Amino acid sequence: MSNQSKLSKPRIGVVLSSGGVRGVYAHTGFLLALEKMDLDIQAMAGCSAGAVVGGIYASGTSVQELADAIFRIQPKKFWSPSLPEIFYSLFIRKGRGYTGMSPIKEAMAFCLRHLQAKTFEDCRIPFYTLAKNLLHGCKTVFDHGELAPRMMASAAAPLLYEPVEIDGQLYCDGALLELSPTDAICCKHQLDILIIHHVARSNKDKPEIQQVINQPWSMVQILNMLLYQQRPWYLSDSPITFRKCPCGCDALIIVIEPELPELLWPETESGTQVLETAKQQADELLQPYHDAIKYNKAILMEKISNTKDNTNTGCGV
């Protein structure tokens, strides 16, 4: 590759979607695939599970260290409801002050143990995440201040976790607003390519409600159905999709939507399988475009144009 080509390498950003515990494993596998491809990431954004994985990685922690940590993690390290406290709050206090089944402290402690930077400003890669402000009902994109509480605010699913207080305001899961914060980094960082890893559960094949009710933690499955009723604009029926940034800039959006094994809340036993599946599919889907993504956007656009008749590739460019 010539020096001129290297000087004009595309500026690449990454967005990690929501996706629960399964999303944490899947995004980690995806980042392992990107690391293998040796892509230079200029900016990252994440929501919910994507906020946890993206924040840890952007802080400077190696993705292999993160993978090793989640291989060992047990549900009690991120999910710690107390049945006596739940009973007392619901039946003795009639729900007064009851804002979630589990405190956020264990999940926050996990993040703190694996962060290399404590603030957004000190991250190795510029990072953004979003959460919902409970008072105003609006979207808040965090890009400065203490990292861990803002990551966890983005991941604090309502009813499951207590909301997170930041500067006197309460925040909860950003997935209530957007499954992926695609607008956070694209134009702000003048990106040429934005890669979205979308692992939120799909409602293409909706399960029967009785099947949902009979699953463990059926309340979580019902919440997932409510969150994921609408598919984001950038998805297609293909595992890889190419779009143009809707704001009108020249950025190319590459969307990866892998087919992943189930991993019901709050299980972790099949997490390794999810991670390896996400890693393998990202590698297979992106490898044909690897050199073009890394070195030359013009060649990438030409490759995409040549795949428009390929039924396995969604092309929206």
Side-chain angles (χ1 to χ4, degrees), residues 13-17 27 30 179-180 182 193-200 231-246 251-259 281-282 285-286 289 293 300 304 312-317:
V14 169
V15 173
L16 306 177
S17 77
H27 289 320
F30 171 71
L179 300 182
S180 296
T182 56
I193 298 170
L194 181 66
I195 306 175
I196 301 173
H197 193 233
H198 183 94
V199 298
R231 281 170 64 80
W233 63 270
Y234 52 76
L235 292 180
S236 70
D237 292 327
S238 299
I240 183 168
T241 304
F242 302 94
R243 305 283 192 196
K244 276 295 191 73
C245 177
L252 174 69
I253 296 177
I254 304 175
V255 186
I256 304 296
E257 186 183 17
E259 289 287 338
Q281 291 191 30
L285 292 167
L286 290 174
Y289 309 97
I293 291 172
L300 177 60
I304 293 168
N312 293 322
T313 305
C315 292
V317 297

Side-chain angles (χ1 to χ4, degrees), residues 14 16 26-36 41 44 53-54 57 63 66 197:
V14 169
L16 306 177
H27 289 320
T28 303
F30 171 71
L31 291 177
L32 283 169
L34 293 192
E35 186 174 80
K36 179 183 175 182
I41 300 172
M44 293 186 70
V53 175
Y57 182 71
V63 66
L66 175 58
H197 193 233

Side-chain angles (χ1 to χ4, degrees), residues 190-209:
Q190 299 178 322
L191 300 178
D192 296 297
I193 298 170
L194 181 66
I195 306 175
I196 301 173
H197 193 233
H198 183 94
V199 298
R201 280 183 170 78
S202 169
N203 267 353
K204 289 184 289 187
D205 301 315
K206 295 182 180 179
E208 295 291 334
I209 189 63

